C-alpha cells in the first residue's frame, strides 16, 4: 500500500464528493425521457459540449495506455491526439450540421433512415460488441493495473472494486446530471495530469519554477532523442504501431473519423447542443484541449524512460510514476485516475444502453413502454459491465501496451463504419445491399488480412480495408439497381456556414499542428 493516511483522506473526500453529486443530481426534477445523452434534451452550451467530448475521450486508455505507449515508442503516439484535433474540426464543419439539421439522435438511427432497419441493427450490434470487449474491457484492465500497483490489491480485486464503484456511479449520475459530472471529472483530470507532468520534469532537471520546467523538457529531449519523433521510420521496432506517414495521410484518418464523427460513444455529446453554432464552438474548444492532452499523458510516459528505465511492461509507467509522488499528491493523481475511468465508463455504458434500447430493443419490441425501455437499458448496461469485468484479464494480460490492443481490435469495424456513413451522407446512389456488404464484410476482411498478412501494421491494414470496402459497397450498390434518392439526406437543406469563433479557432489549431509536426518531424 503506497497511499498514506493523507492520500486516503483525499480519496475519501473525492468519493464523498461523488456521492454528494449523485444526491444533488437525484434531487433535480428532469423530464421522464431524460435518460441518456440524446437529442431529446438539446440544452447544453458550448463549454459543456467541449468538456463532455474530452471527458468521454480521456480515460484510462489515455492516462495509462497512451503513457505506456509513449514509454515504448515516444512522441509519435501523440498523433492520435493531435490528428484527433484536426478531425474534430472536420466533424464540426461537415458532419454535425447534417446530424443536427436532420434531428439524428443516435448513429444507428441515421443508418435506419438512410438504409433501413437491417443496416441499423447490424451496425448497432457491432458497436455494442466493440464498446464491451474493447472500450469497457481496456478501461477496467488499465485501471486495475494502477490500483494493483498503488494499493497492493490483486488485479481481480481491483477490477471488481472499480467495476462496482465506477459502474454504479456511471449508471446513476450519468442518467441524472451529465454536464455537472463532466465538469467535475475533467477538472480533476487536468489538475492531476498537470501535477504529475510538472513533478516528473522537476525531477529530471532537479529544480523548480517555469525555467526549471523548460530546462527539464530540454534535458529530457537530449537524454532520449529517439523518443521525440512524430514520424517513425520503417526500421523502428515500433513502426508496426505508428507506421510513418500513415498517421498523417493514411489509416489514422479512418480511425479518427470513425471515432470522432460516427461513434455514438462520442457523438452523443454533441447531439445535445442548443444549436449548430453552439456545438461548433464546443468542438473547437475540445480541439484546443486535445492539443494539450499529450502534455498530461505522453510527456510522463517519455519521462519514465529516464526515471524508471527498467520496467517489465510499458503500461506500468504511469502507475509507477504515481507512487514516487509525495504524500497528498499521490492521492490527488490517484483520484484523477479514478475520474478518468469513471468518465469513460459512463460514456460507454450510456452509449450501450442508448443504442440497445433505441436501435435493437426498440426495433424488435415496438410496443414497449417508457419504463420497459429504461429497465432494458439498465439491464443491458449491467450485463455489459459484467462481461467486460470477466473478460478484462484474460483478454489483456498478454498485451504489454493496452493502447495498441484498443486501436488494433477497434480497427476490425472502423473501416466499415466510415465507408457506410460517408457513402450514406455524400452518395445518393448507395443502397442497403451496398451498406450491408461493407458492414458485414469489414470484420471478415479485416480478420482475413490480419491472419494472412500479419506483417502489415494494423493502421495500414485499416487503410487497405477501407479502400476495399469502398469499392465493394459501390459495386454492390450499382449492381443493386435501386434508386436510393428518396432516403438520401438533402444536403442543400444543411447550413455548412461557420461563424468567426469557429473559423479563427480552426485556423489557429491547424497552424499549431503544422508547427508541432515541423518541429518534431
Amino acid at each position: 500500500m503506497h497511499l498514506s493516511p493523507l492520500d486516503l483522506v483525499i480519496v475519501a473526500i473525492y468519493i464523498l464528493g461523488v456521492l454528494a453529486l449523485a444526491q444533488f443530481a437525484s434531487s433535480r426534477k428532469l423530464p421522464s425521457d431524460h435518460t441518456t445523452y440524446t437529442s431529446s434534451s438539446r440544452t447544453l452550451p458550448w463549454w459543456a459540449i467541449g468538456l463532455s467530448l474530452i471527458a468521454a475521450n480521456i480515460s484510462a486508455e489515455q492516462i495509462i495506455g497512451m503513457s505506456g505507449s509513449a514509454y515504448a515508442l515516444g512522441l509519435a503516439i501523440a498523433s492520435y491526439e493531435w490528428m484527433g484535433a484536426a478531425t474534430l474540426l472536420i466533424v464540426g464543419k461537415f458532419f454535425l450540421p447534417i446530424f443536427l439539421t436532420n434531428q439524428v439522435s443516435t448513429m444507428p438511427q441515421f443508418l435506419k433512415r438512410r438504409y433501413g432497419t437491417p443496416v441499423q441493427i447490424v451496425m448497432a450490434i457491432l458497436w455494442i460488441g466493440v464498446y464491451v470487449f474493447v472500450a469497457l474491457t481496456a478501461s477496467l484492465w488499465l485501471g486495475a493495473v494502477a490500483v494493483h500497483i498503488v494499493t497492493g490489491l490483486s488485479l481481480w480485486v481491483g477490477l471488481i472494486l472499480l467495476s462496482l464503484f465506477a459502474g454504479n456511479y456511471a449508471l446513476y449520475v450519468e442518467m441524472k446530471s451529465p454536464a455537472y459530472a463532466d465538469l467535475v471529472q475533467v477538472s480533476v483530470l487536468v489538475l492531476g495530469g498537470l501535477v504529475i507532468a510538472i513533478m516528473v520534469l522537476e525531477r529530471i532537471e532537479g529544480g523548480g519554477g517555469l525555467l526549471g520546467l523548460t530546462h527539464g523538457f530540454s534535458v529530457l529531449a537530449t537524454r532520449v532523442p529517439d523518443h521525440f519523433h512524430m514520424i517513425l521510420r520503417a526500421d523502428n521496432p515500433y513502426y508496426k504501431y505508428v507506421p510513418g506517414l500513415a498517421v498523417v495521410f493514411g489509416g489514422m484518418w479512418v480511425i479518427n473519423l470513425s471515432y470522432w464523427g460516427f461513434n455514438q460513444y462520442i457523438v452523443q455529446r454533441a447531439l445535445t447542443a442548443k444549436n449548430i453554432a453552439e456545438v461548433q464552438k464546443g468542438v473547437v474548444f475540445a480541439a484546443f484541449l486535445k492539443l494539450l492532452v499529450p502534455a498530461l499523458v505522453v510527456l510522463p510516459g517519455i519521462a519514465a524512460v529516464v526515471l524508471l528505465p527498467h520496467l517489465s511492461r510499458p503500461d506500468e509507467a504511469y502507475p509507477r510514476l504515481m507512487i514516487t509522488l509525495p504524500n497528498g499528491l499521490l492521492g490527488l493523481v490517484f483520484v484523477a485516475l479514478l475520474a478518468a475511468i469513471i468518465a469513460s465508463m459512463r460514456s460507454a455504458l450510456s452509449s450501450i444502453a442508448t443504442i440497445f434500447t433505441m436501435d435493437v430493443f426498440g426495433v424488435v419490441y415496438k410496443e414497449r413502454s417508457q419504463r420497459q425501455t429504461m429497465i432494458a437499458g439498465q439491464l443491458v448496461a449491467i450485463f455489459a459491465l459484467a462481461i467486460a469485468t470477466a473478460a478484462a484479464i484474460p483478454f489483456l494480460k498478454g498485451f504489454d501496451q493496452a493502447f495498441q490492443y484498443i486501436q488494433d481490435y477497434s480497427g476490425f469495424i472502423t473501416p466499415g463504419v466510415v465507408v457506410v456513413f460517408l457513402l450514406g451522407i455524400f452518395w445518393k446512389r448507395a443502397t442497403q445491399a451496398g451498406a450491408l456488404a461493407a458492414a458485414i464484410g469489414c470484420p471478415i476482411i479485416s480478420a482475413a488480412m490480419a491472419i494472412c498478412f500479419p506483417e502489415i501494421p494494423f493502421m495500414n491494414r485499416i487503410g487497405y480495408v477501407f479502400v476495399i470496402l469502398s469499392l465493394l459497397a459501390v459495386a454492390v450498390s450499382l449492381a443493386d439497381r435501386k434508386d436510393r434518392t428518396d432516403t438520401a439526406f438533402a444536403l442543400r437543406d444543411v447550413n455548412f456556414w461557420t461563424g468567426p469563433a469557429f473559423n479563427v479557432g480552426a485556423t489557429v489549431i491547424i497552424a499549431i499542428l503544422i508547427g508541432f509536426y515541423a518541429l518534431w518531424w
Side-chain angles (χ1 to χ4, degrees), residues 114-116 119 420 423-424 427-438 472-485 487:
R114 177 62 180 86
Y115 295 112
V119 177
V420 169
L423 292 181
W427 191 41
K428 293 181 178 181
R429 189 66 182 77
T431 67
Q432 180 184 107
L436 284 173
L472 176 63
V474 169
V476 172
S477 293
L478 292 175
D480 196 21
R481 298 184 178 279
K482 289 182 180 178
D483 183 4
R484 303 302 296 176
T485 304
T487 63

Side-chain angles (χ1 to χ4, degrees), residues 361-428:
F361 182 73
V363 173
V364 176
Y365 185 34
K366 296 185 184 216
E367 301 302 321
R368 69 199 184 281
S369 67
Q370 179 66 33
R371 177 174 175 77
Q372 288 171 328
T373 300
M374 184 177 298
I375 292 174
Q378 291 173 340
L379 288 177
V380 77
I382 293 170
F383 186 58
L385 184 58
I387 292 176
T389 303
I393 291 179
F395 278 32
L396 282 140
K397 193 171 184 179
F399 282 81
D400 65 340
Q401 295 181 52
F403 187 82
Q404 306 306 332
Y405 163 88
I406 295 166
Q407 305 308 323
D408 191 348
Y409 285 95
S410 295
F412 279 74
I413 75 159
T414 51
V417 170
V418 178
V419 168
V420 169
F421 272 92
L422 287 183
L423 292 181
I425 292 172
F426 298 111
W427 191 41
K428 293 181 178 181

Side-chain angles (χ1 to χ4, degrees), residues 91-175:
V91 171
K93 173 73 174 179
F94 297 107
F95 299 143
L96 291 179
I98 295 172
F99 297 147
L100 287 167
T101 299
N102 290 279
Q103 298 183 334
V104 174
S105 295
T106 72
M107 295 299 95
Q109 181 197 46
F110 169 89
L111 298 176
K112 178 183 179 181
R113 291 170 59 181
R114 177 62 180 86
Y115 295 112
T117 301
V119 177
Q120 174 193 22
I121 294 178
V122 168
M123 291 304 300
I125 292 171
L126 289 175
W127 265 313
I128 290 173
V130 169
Y131 294 150
V132 174
F133 292 106
V134 178
L136 276 177
T137 303
S139 290
L140 283 167
W141 161 256
L142 289 168
V145 169
V147 170
H148 167 66
I149 291 173
V150 173
T151 68
L153 296 172
S154 71
L155 285 172
W156 273 115
V157 172
L159 199 66
I160 292 170
L161 288 177
L162 279 176
S163 179
L164 290 174
F165 177 70
N168 275 284
Y169 176 82
L171 290 170
Y172 190 57
V173 177
E174 159 69 5
M175 306 303 178

Side-chain angles (χ1 to χ4, degrees), residues 452-519:
C452 298
F453 305 101
E455 72 280 2
I456 297 178
F458 69 80
M459 195 177 295
N460 289 343
R461 184 196 74 219
I462 289 171
Y464 299 151
V465 173
F466 171 77
V467 173
I468 294 170
L469 292 176
S470 297
L471 297 174
L472 176 63
V474 169
V476 172
S477 293
L478 292 175
D480 196 21
R481 298 184 178 279
K482 289 182 180 178
D483 183 4
R484 303 302 296 176
T485 304
D486 59 327
T487 63
F489 283 72
L491 298 185
R492 65 177 178 273
D493 297 332
V494 180
N495 183 5
F496 293 106
W497 180 87
T498 49
F502 182 93
N503 295 334
V504 173
T507 301
V508 172
I509 289 167
I510 292 171
I512 292 173
L513 287 174
I514 292 173
F516 283 162
Y517 279 91
L519 179 62

